[in-house]
Every structure is written in structure tokens, then in C-alpha cells.
Amino acid sequence: MSCEEQLRNGGCLASRKGAFGDGHRSLCNSLRQGWEIAGIFLSFIKPFRISQEREPRFSQRRGGQALEQVARKAGESPSPEALRRREGQPILTAGTVLPAFFIIGLIFIPIGIGIFVTSNNIREYEIDYTGTEPFSPCNKCLNVSWDSPCTCTINFTLEHSFESNVFMYYGLSNFYQNHRRYVKSRDDSQLNGDNSSLHNPSKECEPYRTNEDKPIAPCGAIANSMFNDTLELYRIDNDTRTPITLIKKGIAWWTDKNVKFRNPTGDGNNLTALFQGTTKPVNWPKPVYMLDPEPDNNGFINEDFIVWMRTAALPTFRKLYRLIERKNNLQPTLQAGKYSLDIAYNYPVHSFDGRKRMILSTISWMGGKNPFLGIAYITVGSICFFLGVVLLFIHHKYGNRNTSADIPN
Amino acid sequence: MADPIRWARYRWQRLISTEGRECSSNNSSSKCYQSPKTTGKHRIVIPCLGHFKEEYEKVSKLYMNNKIRTTRYTLLNFLPRNLYEQFHRVANLYFLFLVVLNWVPVVEAFQKEITMLPLIGVLTIIAVKDGLEDYSRYKMDKQINNLVTKVYSRKEKKYIDECWKNVSVGDFVRLSRNEIIPADMVLLYSSDPDGICYIETAGLDGETNLKQRQVVRGYSEQVSEIDPEEFSSRIECESPSNDLSRFRGFVEHSNMDRVGLSKENLLLRGCTVRNTEAVVGIVVYAGHETKAMLNNSGPHYKRSKLERKVNTDILWCVLLLLLMCLTGAIGHGIWLSRYSETPFFNIPGPDGKLSPPALAGFYMFWTMIILLQVLIPVSLYVSIEIVKLGQIYLIQNDIDFYHEKTDSTIQCRALNIAEDLGQIQYIFSDKTGTLTENKMVFRRCTIAGQEYCHEENAKRLEAYQEMDSEDEDPADCQCGSSTPTSKCQGHNNRAVCEPLNRKPLNQLSGSYSAFKRQDEAGDIPHSGHMAFSSPIETDVVPDKQLLEKFSQISYQQSEETSSKLSLETMYITDFFLALAICNTVVVSGPNQPRQKMRLSSLSRMPIKSLEEIRQMFQRFSVRRLSSSPLPSVKESSSVSPNSFVRKLSIFRMKLASSNLDGAAQRVSEPQNTDSPEDSQVPGELHLVNVAAGGEPSHAVSSVELSPIPKPCYEAESPDEAALVHAARAYKCVLQSRTPDRVTVDFAGLGSLTFQLLHILPFDSLRKRMSVVVRHPVSNKVIVYTKGADSVMMDLLRTASEGIYRTCNSLLEKIKERTQQHLDDYARRGLRTLCIAKKVMSDAEYAEWLNHRFVAETSIDNREDLLLESAMRLETKLTLLGATGIEDRLQEGVPDTIQALRKAGIKIWMLTGDKRETAVNIAYACKLLEPEDRIFTLKSQSRVSRKDACALVMSKILEGIQKNASIKEKNSEKLGNVSASPSAQARGFNAGLVIDGRTLEHVLHDSLQNIFLELTEECRAVVCCQATPLQKSVLVKLVRSKLKAMTLAVGDGANDVSMIQVADTGVGISGQEGMQAVMASDFAISQFRHLRKLLLVHGHWCYTRLTNMVLYFFYKNVTYVNLLFWYQFFCGFSGTSMTDYWILILFNLLFTSVPPIIYGVLDKDVSAEILMELPQLYTTSQKSVAYLPSAFWITLLDAFYQSLVCFFVPYFTYCGSDIDIFSFGNPINTSALFIMLFHLLIECKSVTWIHAVVIVGSILFYFVFSLAVGATCKTHNPRSDFYWIMEQHMTDPVFYLVCLLTTCIALLPRYLIRVLQGTLFPSPVLRAKYLVRLSPEEQRKAIKRWKDESKCLDYSFYISSHSRLCILLISCMQHCITPCGVMDRTLHECGFAESSSDKSACSLALLP
């Protein structure tokens, strides 16, 4: 560094002596400025060099796992020996990365096992009630249209009891809720209670924007195609049908219910008056302000509606329909036994080969039943561990020659 | 004062700093400055005065005024024009097309406004950059336009202050010393009595020596300052052109007399007036029409090889994009046609109708293009530009490129080809000034066939060399006053050792103390900054023998007349006179180097009495140096110099008067602060009376001082300076030079003033220069010519003709012996010059003069006519002698050449010098090794046949190939075959030397291929006697035929064409002006800096940029594929699972900075190791990092990673109640992690900057996502992203998915890198391991590595003969050598075939 400083000062000093005119002197000044800038840069780079020099020791000690190096920050002052070794960077050799592979293996396998066990403990029961099969009770309703209700009942038996809270889903298959134009076909301002949007919905809603010159509320294809089957669950106990309480609140995200979706505001609380001047979506049997008798679950903030409006990512999906809460600690939420599902079959899926399902599932910290994640973790962990062993072997056999740089060729 | 200079500097900086892209626009703008009205061939300039007034009004409207505007934009047109320029780029047009496409409702994929965002972002960045640049230019223009100069005002009848911008054509401008010339003007008056004005053109071409400009003939006689009111002539000159060296025109006086104008009369804008009190000129070109502005073409745009390759890969990406879009379109069509009736999630278009599947598929194609547009990286171009700027910044700030002596560092003038430095395969190097220092040192001379070897001088130079090496001791790296002191001491020591040479050595040491004092004084300019005047060049120790003879002359001559002198002494006299006169050196005083020497002109004043001398001295002591001398003197000397010199008589006398002595001292003091010989003055002072009146009796004397203040010489070329300094060593001192007189102080003879009749300047066609003078003693017209021996020998008076029939044999003998000496000099690597003279009778001269006059006054065909007239003059010359000048190798050249060669670079030396000189320098700089076999292709006559040439070349080629195969066998036997250096192995030990004449044949179409084949087998090629054109043709040939990356390095104007043609041009900012630097892409100060520039920076820049480019492709392909995979699950409808904002900004905001940092700072191997192991260069040279396979492997990896990145979340969430954006969020987040950590794996050096940037990017992503998630609930119709990030941050599955995805995605690459590092490390990796060793081990390892390759070399040397074969091609009918010898030679050289081409080819064995 001292030599650089000398160059910076001395170099210009010499040239100042040699300057034969103002021109040269100012040139010299500019050069000196240049060196000053360079100096700033160098001083900027100095700590960076030091950190570079620290790296090799680090990578030797801890293994040059790239991930860890990021988190690592310069702290200690470098030893003179380290100073001499510049550019000691993560050299990826078997020796340096061995620990990383073992660590990954050792971490991933327990995580995988944990997830796998959790997933296996989840109880799930699924009924397809589309009715495409001729013997299905719902076969009669197969060609139903939006507003001609048809009811069917499906009996089923739960082999195991559901201990904790049960989530009741409806599932649709082959339903492309993620189609580009479908996804766009909504007006969030309208759903957020914006009065102007209520009466003048966004163009995105076309062709479900207006009906008979009245704005549709809620507009758009998503709302128009809202799932409108009604599912009721009964426990059959010695031929008596006991209805199971299905809680319909709390199925949507809190933020959706309270922030994103809002009923239009105005005088009074009468939703009917607030939605005055709008018309119901074409496929709906009843307007939006009649979705639910309870006022805090009616209109745009109806939770079934909100759930539907959160468009599914994949063509086969499920949506939360109801909650079944565990009443007390003495008995499970759903005991093993016979149940029957009453369906008000309104939603036509046959035209596009869709399927409808009802799913009962308990839930864990990681959501529903899915063995994939656990298996994947276990597999990756094992592979890493295995690779670690292979690398250990390679390191033993070939690792030493690199350090001496004499490779026989 | 400083401001204009800052302006000049700014011009330079601008040239350096502005974007390459601007070139084209700059050119176009400079074109438009040329006003269409002035396109006529001539322009008439008349002052706006007197009777011209009306015409002036008419004419002056056509010309531009002096206001300049270098800005490209005005406030009004900035936006449209900048946009217009930016949309000239194809990439920007592509993105514009996408934006427009997105406005078509049927295919609209994104929200309209969002698509414009990246384009607007990129356009804004560049527009802001352009705007800032333009603004600084505007400020600079304003500053320049408002500079003040003195312009004659008609109203006030005097010169008033005016801004530069208000100066217009026809104005009279008066300038004082050190003022900058505001416009191109014709010089009408100079305060200098000789009508000379000195200008410094440093601002224009960087040359620091002073140039003379002359007042227009006819005006120089004016005593008083020109009165603009009385100026009644009109000036006609050619239209503005950018040729600095040309100006033609004439002044037409009111009486219709015409006086020719040349560039000698033109003061150029941007130059500085020096040494002249006041000048007046009339403006002929102003503003943008000045030559300085027309030459201001800005940087040139070169496209680097990498960029070209990137473009092809981008085309691949386009193909990939089309393929993906086609898949999408077809998929969508099939998906639609599967439904017998329309499903209700497939909503009709706005018109309420559904399009049939085929049409929907077609629409989908375009939608996909919009959706997947990111595949063509919008940020790539911007990033590459930023990275290159960063790399250039790092190169420019590399302290190793700083050269202390010239106080200069590297200049990167081309901003976009830094990575080409890493791919150079061929280096074409100039010799003089590039490999050598271009510090010419007089070494030997031969006069009249007698050689004087100047041994003492050689010793002196050795001493310098030692001192230089001491100098270079790193411990002594500061440049202060200590080094000159040590030099000085060293000198004094030696002075004691050699008493015989005491006097000159005293002078020497005197000069040293002067230097020392100057250094210490600080404010006195350092002589090192004057052109060619470092002590090593200026001091010459005379040869004893010659000095003896020389002193003889001086004594003899005082007694005898010159005609009675022996022939030899006459030769010697003439020789040194020629050395002193035949040049264009400008003389100036030592302490005020920019002050013209006046003393000498005063010394020839007729001074009547001692009283007057005293008065004169008093004048001196108040230092009115530049005040005009007495008018009477002026008259007498200028009117009748001939009569004056005719009566010259010389005598010497001892100085008796102590009075005068004191006066002399007083004289010397002001100018000569360092006159160590003051004490000796009384003893040795020669007083010479130069009396004009022819009455020596009452002329006491003018003082001709022996301790003449050492004049400083400023020469245009170092050769000239060296010769003048050599002459001075023999006391033949060039005292002053004016346009019509040259004064030489000749040791014993006193001051001789020659009337200078003509100077025929040097040009590369004639390869010689001449001066025509009238000898003051003999009053004959004498032509002194000096030039290259190749041309001079042909111009000599042949034996049959000539007046001196008697000395025929003598002349022949001299010629023969001189030629011998010349050859000897050349063998020693000296530069040779022949000196000749010619005496003309007045009649002959008059005849020639007529022709000359015609040539000078013609406007159209002037150059040719002048050349012809010069050729007419330079005939029948008498050879006086020849000089040998040494040009020392630059420091570190052999090492550099060896290192570069080890790096697999072929080095060619292209020089205009003689073959012997070139070959010797080639040996000296290790371009050729002693073990090498040298093949020389040389044509002896002008008309050698092409086929002969071809034959010889094919023979050589055969021989080499056979040799190579033997070598290979040998090396196999030795078991020393290795994979990596085998490429260099072939043709290791052959060198080719080819001369200019042969080159001409070789460059002919039919022979090109065989020639190139031959050169490929040779490890070094030396081309001698090559013209600049041949140089550039050679470079072009290699570039186009071999498809090789070429680098040309040179320092002089003759290298410019070669520098421009090569892929990379490197200029050496050395002694010969700035033309090469101006034309170059990189300017360095020393050849040895090339080593670091190529081996370290070239390697780094290339690997960095390729890795970054590959990374960009990887990044974009990965990211786009995520979207593509999703199409399979959304019916190919063009849905993206990520919020548009994040999708669009992902490339621009979150993942663009880390790769840029990576591209600027990554170092795969440390600089030290790269310097130590040049072999590593081959990896970048062969573009190992960016082979086509690398691109496809990168794409494959990108596909794999995107598959992992998509399907791990897919399987995790499949069948669940996940919504689109909740599904997209983990994918997007893991993509971010994967990309950033991928970068970390690829990074060869991780620093805290990388860490900060990567962590910063991740944090920024999360902050941005959280912010979008928290705020965007309705503002954007696609507000589904609301609260998703927040939701996920509390979800453990999100983290688990991200972790798993990142690990799986990066595992293969990580594993491959690990295995590569362990099992098959590349040389670069092996080198990288070295840094982990302790310094001791490291040194050993490097040595071992080097030995490895050396051992390989060695095995080849064994098998080769160490014999020098020289093949001479000639067309002569007879063979020089008997056929037997030739056959034997052929056999020994490895050509055993019978030689059927005996008549065409002759062989000679040389020792």
C-alpha cells in the first residue's frame, strides 16, 4: 500500500517537476485526481481483499459450502500468512465439500421422516359424487343445469375415526380455473366495495359485465361459475340420521374476508338497497345479497364466495367447504361408522368431463395429506449421504494430488 | 489559462470515455456540420473591412461561425432523438414489438402497462446516461464558447475582447504567448523578427515538440504589426477538410499578385502559441469547420468476438422461444378441440364469440411470445454494457500499468472489446518504439569509408544500462531527486577514470548537475518531458580518433582555405554539417525550453564598439530575450545574407579583457545557470568576429561563447535528435534555426550561418530528407541528404559520370566500404542512415527552382509535383558516410515475448527496418531463439518471379512438416506426449524472415494460402522493410484467412493502419506522437504492460463475461421454463402463476445485480499466478469457457433446474386447495434461491461484496413481495397476490419446499463441479489450488509446472539442427553457389529432394 501511495504522490510530484507549461501541469492534476479516485477505490477494495484472504482457512476448516459462505462475514483480522494467500475462494473438491454432503444428509433424513409420519397420521376420506357411473345415486343429476336443483344422497362408511377437527372440502377435477382469461375475469374494486365499480364494472369482466344493461354484481366469469352444490353430512347411527354441524364461517382467509372483500357501503345496512341497480350473475339462481341469511356472511363477504374467488392453481383442486369442530375431548370429531352425504346437485361438470368430490380431512401443521414431501426429503437426504460416502472414497484416493499440483500429464 | 487546456484535455477524455455506440451518430452529426453551402471546392475569405464589406456580407453567410456545439441533443429534441437512436438496436425493437403486441386484445397476455415496464426501464437508464453525458458536453461547450480572445473591431479600430463563439471567418485575431488559438487562421503577423510563430500541438495530436509556423510570404517583412484596416487582399483556400497535414490556398493581393499558402501558414484551433509574443491571423475556418473539430470523430465501435457469438446464441434462444410458443399454440388448439362443447371456464372473447381451436391456437402463439419474452434477455445487453464499463474501470485503475517515466497509465479507448484481449492468437508488433525504447543513441559512424566505433560511448551506455537496472530496483520505486543524483555520481566517477575525455565529460557532468538542479528546483520543467532529450540520448562521447581529426580541421581551416583541405577532412566537415543541418530540429534554450534562443542571432550582429557590447549585455541581463532586435540588424541580415556571409572572416583571439569576461559571465548567467566551465572560460573562450562590414580592424568582436548555454533540441523524430546531439558532441553545434537560416557553431570555425533555401521533408516513399543550403564560405548551393541506405545507394553519383573523374576509384571504394560498415551496423541491430551531399551550380539550382516554384504554387496536383521535384534534386549524390544509431530494447520485452508465446500467442514483428537490424532485434527480444532455424525469404531484385517464391515456400513447408512428424515420433518415444501443450508443439523451432519485396509477391492472391500455411508452422515471423500498407494487409490476411484474433501493437503513424485493421489495436504512447494512440483501442506506455493486459485482464475479462453471459442465458431459460411447464396445467392458456409485477421485475430487480458483480469482480485465478503461468491463457484463447457445448450444457441444466423448481412444488401441492399465486410464490422464491446459489457455485471468488449483493437481493425480494402482498388489494385488477407472501412466511411447508427445491436443483451442478475439481481439474483449477499452498510450496509448484513444459520444449530442441539456412530467391540466371553445395544444403536442411528449381532458387549457407 505504501508503494501505491508513493506512486500516487510521487508520480505526480515527478511530473510536476517535469511540467513545462500550464497544460502539462493541469494534466498532472487530472492524473493526480485520477490516482485519488483510484486510491478511494483501492481503500474500498482493501477490506474486500482481506475477506478474500480469509476464505481459504474457512473453507478448509468448515468445508466450502457455498451457502454458508454467504452468511459468513468478515470479522477477524487476517494473519500475515493468510494475507499472502490471495483469492482463496471456495474450491470445490471432494475434500472441501464432504462435510456439506453429510450435513445435508443428516438434516434431511430426519426432516423427511418427520414429515412422512405427520402426513401418514392425517385421516382423509374422499367421495366422488359426479355420478358418471350408472349405479351412482347421483347419476340422475348428471345433466343438470345451473338452476334446476336435483338432490341425491350417497352413503359411505368411515373405517377410522377422525380425531381432530375435520375439514370438509369439495373437489373438482379437470376444471381449469386457471385459464388465463377466466382468471382475469373479475373486478377486485367491485369486490372491495367500490361503489363506482359496482355500477360500472371493469372491462375485464366481459362478457359477464352487464346483463340487460344492468351491471352484474359480482361481475366476471369466476363469480358467474361459482360452485353451488350444497352438501350436508349425516351420521347414520342405527338408521337415525343425525346431522353433523357444518361450520361455514372461518373457511376463508381472514384478510380476504376482512380486507379484500367488502360489501358496498351506503346508507343503512340493507344489502338489497346497496346492490340496487345491479343484476345477479347469469348462472346464479339468486342475487349476491341473498347468499346467506346472516348479514356478516352475505353479499361479497360470503365465505363460500370468497373461497371460490381464490382461483385454484391446478385443474384438479379442492376448496374448503365447511369445518367440523371437535366438540369435546371425549369423543372424536367423526367416529368410525356410517355416514350419508346429501347433495343438492346443481353444478354441471359433465359437459367438460369434470369430476366432483367431497373430501373429509384432518389437518396437520403442514396442511393436508401429502406423502411426497416426506419421501422427497428422505430420498434427497439419503442420496446426499451416499454421495458423501462416494466423495470420501474419491477424496481418499485422488484428493491429495491436487494440492501438490503435479498431475502426471 | 487553465480552462482552455482543460478543454483540450476534455477532448481527450471524451474520446476515451464516451460510449462506443456513439461513433456512428457522432459521425453523422459531424457530417451535418459541414454546411452544404460550402461544398464548393474553394472558399474565399475576406475581411469584413473597407471595400470588401459588401462582398463580405455575401460570402460570410455561407461559413459557420466559431460557436461549437458538440452535444447531440437539445432540450426539445432530446426525447425523440434519443428514442430514435435507441430503437436502432434490434433488441429494443423486439421489445417494442412485444409491447405493441400486448395491446392487441386477442393476444394480450399481461396487463398492457406492465409489459412496457422493462423496456421503459432500459430506455430510461440509457437515456439518463446519454443525457448526463450530453449535459457535461454542453457545459464544456459553453465554457469553450465563452472563452475570450482579442478580435479586431471595425467600430473601435482596435482589438477588443470577444468570446470565441463570436469569432467568424474573416476576423482578425490577435493572440499573445500561451494563448489558445480559437479557430483555424492564416498567420499574417508574428512579433518574431523572422516571421515565425511557434505552436504546441499537444492538444491536437499530443506531440509535445514545438512546431514552426510562418507568416505568409510578403507579410513577414513588415516591421510593425499588421493593420487590419489596410489589409486589402483576399484569401482563397480549399474547403474545410479533416486532413491536418494539408492546407492549400493563396492570398491574392489587390494588385492580383498571388502568394501560395501551405500548412506552414495555418494556425490550428486548439493549439497553443508558444515563444512568440504576439501573432495576428485572419480566420479562415471557424467552429465545426476547423480541422481540429473535423478530426474529432470520437471513439470507434468494434464488435467483440464474444458479442458476435452471443448474438448467435440469442438466435438459438429465439428459436427455442418459437418452439415453445409453437408447443403452446398447438397444445392450446388440441386442448380446446377436446371439448365437444365449450366449458364455462373457457370464456368467450370480448365480442362474445369463441374462436375455433385453430385460430385460438394461432392467437395463443402470440400470447405465448409475450408471456415467454423473458427468454430473450432484455437485461443482458444492459448488463453486458455495465459489466464492460466495470471491467474497463478496473483495468484503468490497475496500478501496474502506471509508467513512472512518462507519468502515464493505460487508456482504454474502446469500451466494448475488453474481453477480446483474452482471445488473442496473433500479435503483430512494430519494432521501433514498441519493442524498443525509441530512444535513439548515437553509436557509430563511418565517414569516407573510415569507421569510428565510439568505444567510449559504448561504455557510457553500458553504464547507463547498469544504472537503469539499479533504477528498476523495486526498493527504489519512487521517483524523486535521488536517482538523478546517483546517475550524476556515477558519471563523475567515470569522468575521473578517463582523463582523455575530460572535457566532454565535464560537459556531461555539467549537464547532469543541471538536471539535478532542475529536478530539485521543482518548478523548472523536467527535461524528460521534452521531446527526445533524456541524458542517455543527448550525451555522446566522441570517438578519440575522430576527435583528433576533427580538431585538426578546425586549426587547419583557420589558416588554409577550405579548398585546400584534404579530402578526408572535408568529408568529415561536411558530414557533421549535414548532421547538424539536415533535419527539422527546433532549438530552444535550456532553462526556458519553450523560449526561442536569441543569442545566436545576436551573435552575428555587426557591433561597432565595446560600448555597444556592454549595452547589449545589459539588455541580456534584463532578459528581454524576445524583444525584437535592432531594425538595422534585421534589415542587413535579411536583405543580403549572401553578401554578409561572403565576407565572413574568422579569427580567434584570447580574451584579454577581464571586463569582457565578467560581461560574458553575465551573459551566461541568465540563461545558463549551470556553467561548470565558467572557470575555464578565459582559457578557452574563442572569440569570433563576424563582421558584416568586411572591416575586421575595428570590429572588436561579438562573443561566441564556448560555454554556450546548451541549447535544447526538439525534434520530430528521435533519430534526428540523436544525430544533432552527436554533431554537438563534436562541437558542431546547431545554434538556431529559422525558416531561412541555420546557424551552426563549428568548433574552430566559429558560427556559420547557412542560408536555408529548401527543406524537402522526410516521407516514407522517398525514405530520405534533404536540405538545400547556400554555404556561407563557398557560397555554393549544397544539398545535404540523409536517408535509408537502400534508397541512398542507388542515388549516388556513379563512377562514369560526375566531375571528379579522378577520384572514381576512391568514390567506389568509399561506397563499398561504407556498405560493408552499414551491413555490419545492421547486424549489430543498429539503425543506419546514409549521409550524402551534392554541390550544385547556381544555374542548376535556378533551373530546379523554377520547377519547384511551379509545384509549390499549384493547388491541385501539388503533392505529386513536389515529390517529383524532390526526386529531381536528390540525384548524383556524393556519399559522405553513414551513422549507426542504437535503439535499446524496452524494459522487460524479452520476458514479455516469452510469456506471450507460452500463452500460445504467435508473435509477428513487422518493421520497416533492414533485415539484419530486424533479425537482431528479434534475437535480442527472444522472438527468435538461437536454436531456431531461420528461413529467410528475400528477393534480390525487383522482378523476382512469383512461382519461384511459391516453390521455395512449399519446400520449406515440406521440410518443416517432415521435421514436425519426426519430432512427434521423438516425443512419443520419450513418452512425453501431453494433451495440452501438443498444440503448441508443432513448428516450434522454425522462424521466418521475409522482406518487403517478397512480401509483395506473397500477399498476392495465389500465394496467400501457402504463405499462411508456412507461417502457421513457424513460431515467429519477422517482416522487414514492410510498408505501412503491407503491415495492414498482412494483418487483414491473417484475420480473414485464418479466422484468428489479431492484436496489433505499435507506436507511430506508420502503424495506424495496422492498428485499425486488427481486432484489437494497442497503441504505445511513446515518443512518436499520439497518432497510434488515437487509432488504438487500448493505449499503454510500455510493451511489457501487454503481458498483464493480455494474460491477466484479458483472461479475466473474457472468463468473467462469458460466465456472466452463460449465466444470463441460464437464468432466463430457467425462469421462462417455469412458466412454460405451467402451461401444461392450465390448458396452454398463457396464465402465469406469478404476479405480473414480480414476474417482470424478477429479472430487472432481483437477479440482475449479482451477475453484474460477478461479471466485474470474479477472478478465477489470481493475477500473480496468471502472470507466472502464461499457459493458462490458452483456456480463454480457445474459448474453453464458451464452447457451443457450454451453451447447450447450460441450457440443459436450465431445463433440469426449472423442471425441479416447478415439479417439486407441484407434487407438494397437487390436489390441495392451493390457489394460483400461492402455488407460484414458492416456485418463484425457490427460483430466486436457485439462481443466486447457482451463481455462488459458479463464482470463483466470493467476496463480501458478493455476499452483500446476494443477501441484499434476497432481502429485497422478500420486502418487495411483502409490500406488494400488503398493499395491492385493488389497485391492480390482478390483486390475487394479496397477502400471499405474508401467509407463506408463516407456513413451514413453504420453507421446506424452497429448501428441498433448491437442494435438488443445484445438486447435479454442484456434484459435477466437485468431481471436476477432484478428478479432472482443468489447468485453471489446478492453478487455483496453488493459492492454497504456502508461499514456499507455491513457488516450488509453479517451478515444477514450468519445468514440465520446458522439458517438453527441450525434447524438441534435441531433434532439430541448429543450423541457419537462408534461402535467397532471385531471378538471376546464374547460381551463386555451385549446385553441389546447394544440394548438400538442401539435404542438411532436411530437403532431400532433387532440386529441379535451381535456376529459380539459389541457396547460400551463412555462418
Side-chain angles (χ1 to χ4, degrees), chain B residues 1158-1376:
Chain B
Y1158 169 60
V1160 175
L1161 292 180
D1162 196 40
K1163 295 177 180 173
D1164 52 352
V1165 187
S1166 71
E1168 291 86 349
I1169 289 176
L1170 280 174
M1171 291 283 274
E1172 286 294 323
L1173 296 169
Q1175 293 90 335
L1176 297 177
Y1177 186 76
T1178 47
T1179 56
S1180 67
Q1181 189 185 36
K1182 290 173 191 146
S1183 30
V1184 170
Y1186 196 27
L1187 295 171
S1189 62
F1191 174 71
W1192 293 111
I1193 287 172
T1194 304
L1195 284 201
L1196 247 151
D1197 193 31
F1199 266 87
Y1200 165 78
Q1201 293 193 8
S1202 66
L1203 276 171
V1204 169
C1205 188
F1206 181 81
F1207 281 99
V1208 168
Y1210 172 81
F1211 285 119
T1212 308
Y1213 291 114
C1214 117
S1216 73
D1217 59 343
I1218 194 87
D1219 64 289
I1220 295 182
F1221 293 114
S1222 299
F1223 177 63
N1225 192 37
I1227 293 180
N1228 213 39
T1229 310
S1230 21
L1232 181 82
F1233 281 121
I1234 290 172
M1235 285 171 190
L1236 293 181
F1237 292 138
H1238 179 105
L1239 187 69
L1240 269 186
I1241 293 177
E1242 291 297 296
C1243 258
K1244 310 299 186 303
S1245 57
V1246 179
T1247 65
W1248 64 266
I1249 297 180
H1250 290 76
V1252 164
V1253 164
I1254 286 174
V1255 171
S1257 282
I1258 293 170
L1259 284 180
F1260 182 49
Y1261 171 76
F1262 278 100
V1263 167
F1264 186 86
S1265 301
L1266 288 173
V1268 168
T1271 54
C1272 272
K1273 51 178 203 253
T1274 56
H1275 297 298
N1276 158 20
R1278 297 290 313 272
S1279 68
D1280 279 12
F1281 199 70
Y1282 182 68
W1283 217 253
I1284 280 177
M1285 200 48 157
E1286 284 80 351
Q1287 188 84 15
H1288 270 141
M1289 295 289 277
T1290 57
D1291 181 9
V1293 177
F1294 172 72
Y1295 297 106
L1296 286 174
V1297 167
C1298 287
L1299 181 63
L1300 182 69
T1301 313
T1302 312
C1303 282
I1304 298 180
L1306 293 177
L1307 192 64
R1309 181 163 280 260
Y1310 194 60
L1311 192 67
I1312 285 170
R1313 287 270 175 256
V1314 167
L1315 291 180
Q1316 205 179 18
T1318 317
L1319 297 179
F1320 338 96
S1322 64
V1324 172
L1325 268 176
R1326 281 168 62 199
K1328 223 164 110 76
Y1329 296 136
L1330 294 179
V1331 300
R1332 299 176 59 192
L1333 307 175
S1334 71
E1336 201 85 340
E1337 288 172 308
Q1338 193 174 327
R1339 229 169 291 136
K1340 265 189 230 158
I1342 288 178
K1343 197 164 167 269
R1344 221 176 310 152
W1345 195 328
K1346 278 182 181 165
D1347 288 346
E1348 226 173 85
S1349 45
K1350 202 177 275 172
C1351 162
L1352 216 73
D1353 292 7
Y1354 200 66
S1355 67
F1356 294 136
Y1357 288 142
I1358 295 166
S1359 64
S1360 74
H1361 312 266
S1362 56
R1363 187 183 290 281
L1364 213 67
C1365 293
I1366 295 202
L1367 289 130
L1368 302 168
I1369 307 165
S1370 79
C1371 216
M1372 292 177 198
Q1373 288 304 308
H1374 61 279
C1375 288
I1376 295 170

Side-chain angles (χ1 to χ4, degrees), chain A residues 18 89 180 313 370 377 401, chain B residues 108 526 1126 1212 1244-1245 1296:
Chain A
Q89 263 53 53
R180 177 171 54 92
N370 189 352
Y377 262 96
R401 68 179 187 188
Chain B
E108 175 190 349
H526 192 284
Y1126 188 58
T1212 308
K1244 310 299 186 303
S1245 57
L1296 286 174

Side-chain angles (χ1 to χ4, degrees), chain A residues 96-262:
Chain A
T96 52
V97 300
L98 265 178
F101 276 91
F102 283 119
I103 288 168
I104 290 177
L106 289 177
I107 292 174
F108 272 32
I109 294 173
I111 291 179
I113 292 170
I115 297 170
F116 190 71
V117 169
T118 319
S119 176
N120 266 3
N121 285 340
I122 291 171
R123 293 263 175 274
E124 196 176 278
Y125 187 81
E126 194 175 308
I127 296 175
D128 189 320
Y129 69 92
T130 324
T132 40
E133 299 84 7
F135 51 83
S136 166
C138 290
N139 193 16
K140 55 177 178 175
C141 303
L142 200 55
N143 289 316
V144 80
S145 69
W146 290 97
D147 44 2
S148 58
C150 163
T151 50
C152 54
T153 305
I154 294 176
N155 293 323
F156 63 97
T157 311
L158 290 180
E159 305 285 333
H160 306 279
S161 60
F162 286 57
E163 295 293 333
S164 57
N165 290 345
V166 176
F167 290 67
M168 187 178 178
Y169 299 91
Y170 59 88
L172 293 172
S173 294
N174 208 9
F175 188 102
Y176 285 85
Q177 220 191 0
N178 55 12
H179 190 283
R180 177 171 54 92
R181 284 207 300 279
Y182 181 85
V183 167
K184 274 197 307 190
S185 188
R186 61 193 283 164
D187 185 349
D188 278 306
S189 318
Q190 192 191 44
L191 298 176
N192 197 36
D194 187 71
N195 275 324
S196 63
S197 297
L198 181 69
H199 296 288
N200 185 18
S202 153
K203 285 203 176 62
E204 302 281 349
C205 286
E206 291 285 7
Y208 304 105
R209 186 165 163 263
T210 53
N211 190 19
E212 293 159 358
D213 290 336
K214 276 186 172 177
I216 294 173
C219 76
I222 309 177
N224 191 43
S225 59
M226 185 177 150
F227 182 78
N228 59 355
D229 284 2
T230 318
L231 306 175
E232 281 167 1
L233 200 60
Y234 296 91
R235 175 168 160 75
I236 301 173
D237 211 6
N238 303 328
D239 290 339
T240 52
R241 279 158 55 102
T242 328
I244 290 170
T245 325
L246 301 175
I247 300 164
K248 56 187 170 188
K249 281 198 229 168
I251 54 172
W253 291 15
W254 186 90
T255 46
D256 281 2
K257 167 108 178 166
N258 293 293
V259 186
K260 194 173 160 188
F261 288 81
R262 273 184 195 159

